[in-house]
Amino acid sequence: MAYVNGKSISSKEFMWVYKKNHGGVANATYADLASYLNLYINFKLKVIDARSMGLDVDTAYKAEINGYERALRAQKKASPKNLEYAYIMNEYREGVLMFNISEQKIWSKAQDNESKLKEFHQANASNYGNKDFDEVRGQVIADYQQSLENQWIKTLRTKYTVKINDDELRHLAKL
């Protein structure tokens, strides 16, 4: 269905994630699927970036993943031989990586740099009704984080190859 830096995203994987995040609903328009695939590709790009930085070999990361896997097995709801188990574990591994790299690339930058926030506020003052920084600090942080993420995604999409099989995506659309 799609490739991100040469790694395949299968239709089964994509639809499993889509259904899981849409209340089990599988009927979707092409536009809905295309939009969600774009978000999913951004997620995968962040995971690739995290791996390129070695975050997947960090001992704290490995310990967290092993703990989750033990807990999942203890529930006996999924077997390691089961495809859904593989999807769950992959989603968890990649979710933790995405969280860890987002902390480094976005969240900590917005929280730890008051001067950058004020600079961003000043450059975008009209977006805040020319209100004082302290009055709109929360919104400025959110907007600054979104700006950092947009720049990061743009860089990742330039750095890594993304290919989408549009015909396969259209085939998955039910409406």
Side-chain angles (χ1 to χ4, degrees):
M1 123 134 343
Y3 290 88
V4 179
N5 203 37
K7 187 167 169 59
S8 173
I9 298 173
S10 71
S11 296
K12 284 184 180 184
E13 172 192 351
F14 174 70
M15 289 308 294
W16 180 84
V17 172
Y18 182 87
K19 286 182 205 176
K20 187 178 94 35
N21 290 301
H22 289 85
V25 175
N27 291 340
T29 65
Y30 169 78
D32 290 339
L33 290 177
S35 176
Y36 194 76
L37 180 59
N38 189 51
L39 292 174
Y40 195 59
I41 286 170
N42 290 346
F43 168 79
K44 292 290 195 175
L45 287 166
K46 292 173 188 177
V47 170
I48 289 168
D49 204 28
R51 285 191 172 118
S52 76
M53 293 175 61
L55 297 182
D56 58 331
V57 295
D58 179 72
T59 50
Y61 167 78
K62 286 181 172 184
E64 183 173 348
I65 298 305
N66 290 337
Y68 181 78
E69 190 165 22
R70 279 191 304 276
L72 189 60
R73 284 185 180 168
Q75 290 180 359
K76 297 183 180 175
K77 291 183 179 177
S79 162
K81 296 177 184 173
N82 183 315
L83 184 59
E84 185 169 7
Y85 177 88
Y87 286 155
I88 291 168
M89 281 308 303
N90 188 55
E91 179 183 45
Y92 189 76
R93 279 185 203 99
E94 290 183 346
V96 172
L97 285 173
M98 195 275 304
F99 180 87
N100 291 346
I101 195 160
S102 293
E103 175 66 32
Q104 288 182 21
K105 299 262 183 169
I106 300 170
W107 305 326
S108 66
K109 287 183 179 179
Q111 295 298 326
D112 299 339
N113 199 333
E114 194 78 9
S115 64
K116 285 282 188 192
L117 289 172
K118 287 181 177 179
E119 189 179 297
F120 183 84
H121 171 260
Q122 189 173 19
N124 298 283
S126 62
N127 294 346
Y128 306 106
N130 293 314
K131 291 181 182 173
D132 184 61
F133 173 76
D134 292 326
E135 292 179 74
V136 292
R137 188 175 197 282
Q139 188 60 51
V140 171
I141 290 170
D143 293 348
Y144 182 61
Q145 287 175 334
Q146 188 61 58
S147 173
L148 289 172
E149 182 170 8
N150 292 346
Q151 291 169 9
W152 181 30
I153 292 295
K154 185 177 178 181
T155 300
L156 292 174
R157 284 187 173 257
T158 302
K159 184 177 180 179
Y160 300 110
T161 306
V162 173
K163 292 183 182 177
I164 297 171
N165 183 335
D166 200 54
D167 290 339
E168 194 169 347
L169 188 60
R170 287 187 189 285
H171 179 72
L172 293 173
K174 304 288 184 197
L175 304 173

